[in-house]
Amino acid sequence: MYSVLLRQVRQQKGATQQRARTTTKTISYFTCLKKGANMAVLFGFVLSFFATYVMAQDLAISMKPMVTVPDNIDKFAGFYFQPYEPTPSVDANCYETCPCSMDPKNTTGCFCDVENVCGGEVPLDLESNSKIIYHWDASSDDKKYISIKGQGRTRIELEMKYDCGSQQGPYKFLEYDGTSMNYSFEFVTSDGYEDADGSAQSYQYNSGRSFVEFGKCDGCGSCLLSTRLQMDPGSDGNLNLNFKSLTFSVSYDNTKVVSGTHDYEWSTSGYCWMRDSNKRREARSSQNVYEIKELPTGTQPAVTTAAPDASTTATDSATRWASNVLLLPLLIIMNLLN
């Protein structure tokens, strides 16, 4: 009798343990499902966050002085520049043109003086960005600086164009004046040494003569991307600029620009320079001296902000913030896996 009761107790205990194990497995299964759902949501959040804050980039165009310029090309006080970033789709090259012909590149039978023109093409996607940043560098290897001295103004100008005549779209002619632009210099002294606070410089930013333009103007056959930044002499009447790089930027409405990536053409027959006034008579009376010089060995000029590029600073801060915030969902995922 006692053995029978003991066997029944053991059977009931075994059944109870089995139900407990089954319940535990069920709870573990649903817990895993819940963790998996949470992980999927968090993973989606990380991907969305990464795409929004990390992969998104501003449209940057980097320029450098043209090293080789043909003898019979138009000369002035200053330098021609060429884009080197983004990687050109057509490298800078020089060729002869007939300026009085309907087809300037066809010089056969040209009845006026043949001229040399240099140019190339760069792929740009205006629609995928909402801010454009121009970098005008003294060199692409960070070993030179530009010196501009005199009593006249200087203009940094670039014109690029894309033949959008047959394309239909919402693009409009957009113009942003100098008050919408931000700029900053990497200053050095006249000897090429660090000038962190810009105290060795003398200039005045002319916002009224500076601009960035997008789109197709009335009567234009192409969609343009044009810009100008003008610097006038400082309060002492002198223009004295020594810098490794000049950066300026503007934010724009990307819902009103041509869609997709297109090759934008630039050439010396348009604007691609850092130079004195384009009025030659005026230039003769107030011509500046332009030089490209080697930096002293070991010099590492710091970035200064004569006029703070608030938008660039905000972008840098946002990038650091995004890097920190990205750690949060990753830590949560690691915790769920434990």
Side-chain angles (χ1 to χ4, degrees):
M1 181 67 177
Y2 173 76
S3 60
V4 172
L5 290 174
L6 181 60
R7 187 165 54 251
Q8 290 176 347
V9 169
R10 286 177 177 174
Q11 289 175 350
Q12 290 177 353
K13 183 178 179 180
T16 302
Q17 290 176 342
Q18 179 63 34
R19 285 194 299 271
R21 284 194 294 269
T22 302
T23 302
T24 301
K25 288 181 179 179
T26 303
I27 292 174
S28 298
Y29 175 74
F30 283 108
T31 301
C32 289
L33 283 179
K34 184 177 179 181
K35 285 185 177 182
N38 289 338
M39 288 174 60
V41 171
L42 286 172
F43 186 66
F45 167 75
V46 170
L47 287 179
S48 176
F49 188 91
F50 184 81
T52 302
Y53 292 99
V54 179
M55 295 182 67
Q57 297 181 2
D58 298 321
L59 176 59
I61 300 176
S62 297
M63 308 288 294
K64 65 179 181 179
M66 290 182 63
V67 177
T68 304
V69 180
D71 291 335
N72 61 341
I73 205 168
D74 192 21
K75 297 297 192 301
F76 47 78
F79 308 110
Y80 283 110
F81 274 71
Q82 67 183 68
Y84 68 95
E85 289 179 351
T87 302
S89 48
V90 176
D91 290 331
N93 62 97
C94 300
Y95 48 89
E96 291 185 337
T97 65
C98 179
C100 56
S101 172
M102 294 295 292
D103 181 12
K105 292 186 178 181
N106 183 6
T107 60
T108 302
C110 184
F111 55 86
C112 60
D113 292 336
V114 173
E115 295 180 357
N116 258 326
V117 172
C118 300
E121 296 181 8
V122 176
L124 300 177
D125 182 0
L126 298 177
E127 184 185 31
S128 297
N129 303 274
S130 59
K131 177 181 176 183
I132 187 167
I133 304 176
Y134 294 93
H135 301 285
W136 292 70
D137 303 324
S139 63
S140 57
D141 58 7
D142 205 37
K143 293 183 179 180
K144 296 180 174 64
Y145 70 100
I146 293 173
S147 172
I148 306 175
K149 290 181 172 62
Q151 289 77 44
R153 69 188 184 190
T154 188
R155 284 180 171 177
I156 299 89
E157 297 178 294
L158 175 63
E159 179 184 77
M160 311 178 84
K161 58 185 179 179
Y162 154 66
D163 184 6
C164 60
S166 59
Q167 180 171 345
Q168 301 297 319
Y171 52 86
K172 307 292 182 183
F173 184 70
L174 305 176
E175 183 174 9
Y176 299 90
D177 62 24
T179 60
S180 303
M181 300 164 64
N182 298 289
Y183 73 92
S184 63
F185 283 97
E186 277 192 75
F187 280 131
V188 294
T189 65
S190 58
D191 296 322
Y193 293 98
E194 182 179 336
D195 180 24
D197 59 3
S199 58
Q201 320 298 322
S202 177
Y203 70 97
Q204 183 175 346
Y205 172 53
N206 191 329
S207 61
R209 294 290 184 179
S210 302
F211 61 83
V212 176
E213 296 175 342
F214 299 81
K216 191 173 183 180
C217 63
D218 292 337
C220 295
S222 301
C223 284
L224 302 177
L225 176 57
S226 304
T227 186
R228 175 202 291 162
L229 192 80
Q230 180 169 316
M231 295 295 177
D232 295 336
S235 57
D236 60 356
N238 295 312
L239 182 67
N240 184 28
L241 287 169
N242 303 278
F243 56 95
K244 287 174 54 180
S245 181
L246 164 63
T247 297
F248 57 94
S249 63
V250 69
S251 296
Y252 62 92
D253 184 352
N254 63 354
T255 66
K256 297 180 179 178
V257 295
V258 65
S259 60
T261 300
H262 303 282
D263 291 330
Y264 280 73
E265 180 185 6
W266 65 273
S267 76
T268 54
S269 62
Y271 308 99
C272 56
W273 50 50
M274 185 178 295
R275 59 173 289 179
D276 273 10
S277 168
N278 59 358
K279 297 179 180 178
R280 300 309 174 81
R281 294 180 180 177
E282 180 181 334
R284 292 193 192 101
S285 61
S286 60
Q287 195 169 59
N288 298 309
V289 176
Y290 293 75
E291 296 180 279
I292 298 177
K293 302 180 179 181
E294 296 284 340
L295 284 166
T297 304
T299 298
Q300 307 233 346
V303 175
T304 62
T305 53
D309 189 342
S311 54
T312 300
T313 303
T315 300
D316 294 340
S317 299
T319 302
R320 290 192 295 270
W321 175 82
S323 300
N324 292 331
V325 175
L326 262 179
L327 293 175
L328 179 60
L330 294 177
L331 290 173
I332 294 174
I333 291 174
M334 292 175 65
N335 183 57
L336 290 173
L337 291 173
N338 293 329

